[in-house]
Each structure stands twice: as C-alpha cells, then as structure tokens.
Amino acid sequence: MTLQQLLDQGTEQLRSAGVPDAGLDARYLLLDTFGLGLASFLADRGRTVDGLPGGAEKAQAYEALIARRAGRIPLQQLLGVQEFMGLEFFVNEHVLIPRQDTETLVELVLEERKQRDLDVLDVCTGSGCIAVSLARLGEYRSVTALDVSAEALKVAEKNAAALLGEYDGDFRLVQSDMFAGLETKETEAQPGQEPGKAEILPEQAAGKAAASRDLTRPALTPQFDILVSNPPYIPSQVIEGLEPEVRDHEPRLALDGSPDGLKFYRILASEGKRFLRPGGAVYFEIGWDQAQAVSALLEREGFTQIRTVKDMAGMDRVVGAVLGAAADNGHQAPGRSRETVRTIQARPMEQGI
C-alpha cells in the first residue's frame, strides 16, 4: 500500500463516519504520524509504506488515529496542539480548544490597551490561550489567570512555560472558582512566610516570569487594569445539539453557562468590578445572541462605554466596557460621560499575526 492509498483509505473511513473535512483531517493525521511536510508527502506519496523507515508501525498508528477521529474525538486533541494568535498551544481533553473567534478578544485588547504598565486578570483561563497571548504579545506588567480546574491549569502552565521564555513580566496561575481565590482574607503566615502574604510556589519557570499557583488567598484584594474572560456561555439545553466533537469530548465545565447561558456573566459583572482599578476595562467573549443581555448586566453594575465587537464572520463576539464612576467598587473613579451602547465591526490588527 502506498502513502496515497493509505491516505485515501483514512479519508474514506472518516467520510463514512460523518466527520467534517474528512480529507483534510486524514491528511493532517498522516503527515503528523509519518513526520512529513506537505512537500515531502507529495514527493513520496507513491512510495510503499513498508519501504519507509518504521513504515509498518507508523501505518498502524495512523489507522488507530483514524479510528479515534471516526469516533469524533477532535483533531486538535489527537494532534495535541492548536494554533492561536500565531502561537502553538498544547491542548488535551481537559481544556476548551482555542477558537479563531476568541482571537477577536485578544486583538481588541492589544489594539486598545497598548501601555505595558498594566495588570491583566483572565478568568476561566482554560488552556491559557488568552492570558499567554496577552502576556507575550502585549508585554503587560503582569497577567494573572484563574481557573477552577486543576487539570486545566496544568495545561495552561505547560503553555506558559513553552511560550513565555522572553516575557519579563509576572505571570501567575491561580486555582479559583471565579473570583473566590482573590477574595480579601487575612491568611495565617506559613513557615518562612511573612504575615498576611500569600504563599506562591513556582512550579515551572517561563523565562523571567514564573508560572505559579497561589495556594493560599492573598491578604489584600488585588487590583487590575484589564479583566478578560471567555466563560462558559452555552445554554445548558443547547449543548446536547452541538457537534459530537464538542458535546462529547470537550469539558462540559467549560461549556455550560446555565439554562440561560448568563450565569458567569452575572458573576463577572457584579463581582469583577471589585478587582478593577478606576477606569479599568473589561472584555468578555459572548455567544452570537448574547450582546444585549450581557451589555445590560454591565450597565446595571455601573459600567460605561459599553460596546459590542463583531468577529471576522460578522457575528457579535466581544462585549467591552469601562468601570465608570457609578460602579460601587469602593473606589472614587473620575466622572465619565456615558456612551450609547454600540456595536462595531472587528478589523484586522495593523500588525497582524
């Protein structure tokens, strides 16, 4: 059997299983299994598999991957990687696979918040794709990323270690159920720890930045300039109708936004302002039909300059806002004129990735 025949066999198996883009997925898996680039495959596709180094074993591995993909396991989980913002992120079954739609949020932050002396908080970080991208591309002073899942944080930690080697800022991973890990609480000093200070245990160094986990709560409520989140926002009853790749193989914890899909936006809007400095900005990814509801939640909590940004497909994708003077977060913010809630079209960044 030649390489081309092996590819054709895999393509047909995926097509019969109803896998979208069967030919493309079969080719990706073949190239990855045999360690070939597209040019090398085109040059060697007429060669017999048994005539290639380790060909028989690689063919068996390929057939096993095709069988798993036919079972609707996502391609990215089989390959273990997904590109996002021009960077290659490790992914597995414990995290939501980064989507191109989410790049709209990252690009918007980078476009609107160019100062480097800013502190960023990412809630529901998952793979860390948003937090790591903002740290690397925005070079912000600090980026703190929260997630309730310990397994997800392991993935984010691996990505931070791989991608933040040149980052000079402070990058932290905190296991936290939404903002609970940042609550103001006096902590007892641990051995070798100053009273009132949080214990931080670096697990993997990412250049000069330590990807670390805060295992006790900070003594003071931290303050940030930017709050970003891609929270679970799919209504519970909608999940069962999603593609099997999403419904059966991506973590339900990262998908389910409660019956109306708005549970986590309520928490972000009502509690998030306590962790923002005056004039701090929020950027939330949303479902295509959630702009009005999320904007109303933010307006009710005193946020101003609320607007919706569409993704490159023309769908509502990000709601942004600024913490206004009316927000009761314990700060005296300068007065701001309230802008009409508006919708703008995302555009490619001037310096594309």
Side-chain angles (χ1 to χ4, degrees), residues 7-173:
L7 173 60
D8 293 342
Q9 176 180 292
T11 299
E12 181 56 35
Q13 188 173 344
L14 295 186
R15 186 176 291 120
S16 298
V19 174
D21 300 317
L24 190 61
D25 284 12
R27 190 178 72 191
Y28 274 128
L29 291 173
L30 185 83
L31 297 181
D32 185 70
T33 303
F34 281 84
L36 297 172
L38 181 58
S40 297
F41 166 73
L42 293 175
D44 294 339
R45 60 184 173 178
R47 295 181 61 181
T48 61
V49 172
D50 291 340
L52 298 171
E57 293 79 9
K58 291 177 180 177
Q60 289 181 350
Y62 174 68
E63 289 169 352
L65 286 172
I66 287 293
R68 296 181 68 195
R69 183 68 188 101
R72 308 304 292 268
I73 295 176
L75 175 69
Q76 295 88 341
Q77 290 181 9
L78 296 176
L79 297 176
V81 295
Q82 171 66 14
E83 183 178 310
F84 182 84
M85 293 298 298
L87 307 172
E88 188 172 86
F89 284 84
F90 167 70
V91 296
N92 62 18
E93 70 275 14
H94 299 297
V95 298
L96 195 70
I97 297 168
R99 267 76 166 172
Q100 185 178 13
D101 296 339
T102 305
E103 292 183 351
T104 303
L105 185 154
V106 176
E107 291 170 349
L108 185 63
V109 175
L110 294 174
E111 182 179 2
E112 294 187 350
R113 307 288 160 174
K114 298 182 184 296
Q115 315 96 293
R116 295 184 180 181
D117 58 338
L118 299 176
D119 301 307
V120 180
L121 177 63
D122 177 23
V123 182
C124 306
T125 197
S127 67
C129 65
I130 293 176
V132 170
S133 296
L134 288 175
R136 176 158 169 164
L137 303 177
E139 300 181 348
Y140 295 114
R141 177 171 54 203
S142 75
V143 177
T144 300
L146 314 180
D147 204 285
V148 69
S149 167
E151 292 299 326
L153 287 174
K154 291 178 184 177
V155 174
E157 191 170 66
K158 183 173 181 176
N159 286 321
L163 296 171
L164 295 183
E166 302 300 320
Y167 178 54
D168 288 330
D170 180 26
F171 186 90
R172 298 187 180 189
L173 297 169

Side-chain angles (χ1 to χ4, degrees), residues 96-340:
L96 195 70
I97 297 168
R99 267 76 166 172
Q100 185 178 13
D101 296 339
T102 305
E103 292 183 351
T104 303
L105 185 154
V106 176
E107 291 170 349
L108 185 63
V109 175
L110 294 174
E111 182 179 2
E112 294 187 350
R113 307 288 160 174
K114 298 182 184 296
Q115 315 96 293
R116 295 184 180 181
D117 58 338
L118 299 176
D119 301 307
V120 180
L121 177 63
D122 177 23
V123 182
C124 306
T125 197
S127 67
C129 65
I130 293 176
V132 170
S133 296
L134 288 175
R136 176 158 169 164
L137 303 177
E139 300 181 348
Y140 295 114
R141 177 171 54 203
S142 75
V143 177
T144 300
L146 314 180
D147 204 285
V148 69
S149 167
E151 292 299 326
L153 287 174
K154 291 178 184 177
V155 174
E157 191 170 66
K158 183 173 181 176
N159 286 321
L163 296 171
L164 295 183
E166 302 300 320
Y167 178 54
D168 288 330
D170 180 26
F171 186 90
R172 298 187 180 189
L173 297 169
V174 183
Q175 187 170 2
S176 175
D177 186 356
M178 297 302 285
F179 299 101
L182 298 179
E183 293 287 351
T184 302
K185 288 235 182 226
E186 292 296 330
T187 58
E188 295 183 3
Q190 302 297 319
Q193 177 184 341
E194 295 181 33
K197 294 291 185 68
E199 181 186 12
I200 303 172
L201 302 180
E203 297 200 357
Q204 290 186 7
K208 296 182 181 179
S212 59
R213 294 190 192 155
D214 291 358
L215 301 183
T216 60
R217 292 180 176 183
L220 299 174
T221 302
Q223 299 291 297
F224 300 90
D225 302 289
I226 302 170
L227 168 60
V228 297
S229 184
N230 178 17
Y233 59 69
I234 301 176
S236 305
Q237 66 277 11
V238 173
I239 294 176
E240 293 307 315
L242 298 177
E243 289 291 326
E245 286 85 350
V246 179
R247 181 191 65 220
D248 300 332
H249 297 288
E250 293 197 77
R252 187 67 62 104
L253 189 67
L255 298 170
D256 195 337
S258 76
D260 66 356
L262 300 175
K263 172 183 176 180
F264 296 98
Y265 296 114
R266 294 187 182 95
I267 298 172
L268 288 165
S270 63
E271 298 183 19
K273 60 188 179 183
R274 295 197 298 111
F275 301 95
L276 280 173
R277 296 189 176 102
V282 299
Y283 299 86
F284 302 150
E285 179 170 329
I286 59 167
W288 64 273
D289 59 348
Q290 294 175 319
Q292 185 174 357
V294 174
S295 296
L297 289 172
L298 289 168
E299 186 172 19
R300 188 178 307 139
E301 295 296 336
F303 286 86
T304 64
Q305 303 179 44
I306 303 168
R307 75 273 191 210
T308 301
V309 177
K310 296 181 181 294
D311 60 24
M312 296 306 295
M315 308 294 287
D316 289 345
R317 187 57 57 194
V318 178
V319 168
V322 172
L323 185 65
D328 182 15
N329 68 335
H331 304 295
Q332 292 298 320
R336 295 178 181 270
S337 60
R338 177 160 307 217
E339 295 187 3
T340 303

